[in-house]
Amino acid sequence: MTQDAVTATNEPHEPTPEERAARDRVRRRATGMTHHQTADALEAAEESAGDLDTADIRTRAEVAEWRRITDLLFDHGGPYAPETDAYVQGQLTARRNRRAAS
């Protein structure tokens, strides 16, 4: 995997507007889904993406978000909800704090 692909999937960084939009789309679709449903969606996203090394940043962000949500729900037992996702809530708080500091 290229460095760009790693950045979009694993490394902490300030997401681009395209990455944010892709992750938001996944979160909206995932809302209410169970682990099995997100696992199916992840599989479909990976198949659709093909080679992640050559995929665009939005596609890599989408696949990464499906992976993260699927992993989150692995032992959760209930449906996904962004309001209870600590990662999402942390991102939103950090964005609000940056805006307030500007």
Side-chain angles (χ1 to χ4, degrees), residues 18-37:
E18 294 84 8
E19 287 175 295
R20 282 191 197 132
R23 290 176 179 167
D24 288 345
R25 274 192 307 277
V26 169
R27 291 170 188 163
R28 282 192 301 276
R29 280 195 53 214
T31 299
M33 287 184 165
T34 64
H35 176 262
H36 295 293
Q37 291 168 317

Side-chain angles (χ1 to χ4, degrees), residues 30-39 68-85:
T31 299
M33 287 184 165
T34 64
H35 176 262
H36 295 293
Q37 291 168 317
T38 62
R68 191 190 68 75
I69 291 171
T70 300
D71 289 347
L72 175 72
L73 294 179
F74 179 73
D75 61 357
H76 182 270
Y80 177 74
E83 306 81 42
T84 60
D85 185 336

Side-chain angles (χ1 to χ4, degrees), residues 40-52 59 63:
D40 290 343
L42 168 59
E43 184 178 337
E46 288 173 332
E47 286 176 15
S48 175
D51 180 10
L52 284 177
T59 300
V63 170

Side-chain angles (χ1 to χ4, degrees), residues 2 4-5 48-60 63:
T2 66
D4 286 342
S48 175
D51 180 10
L52 284 177
D53 283 338
T54 60
D56 63 44
I57 197 162
R58 286 171 287 207
T59 300
R60 292 190 308 259
V63 170

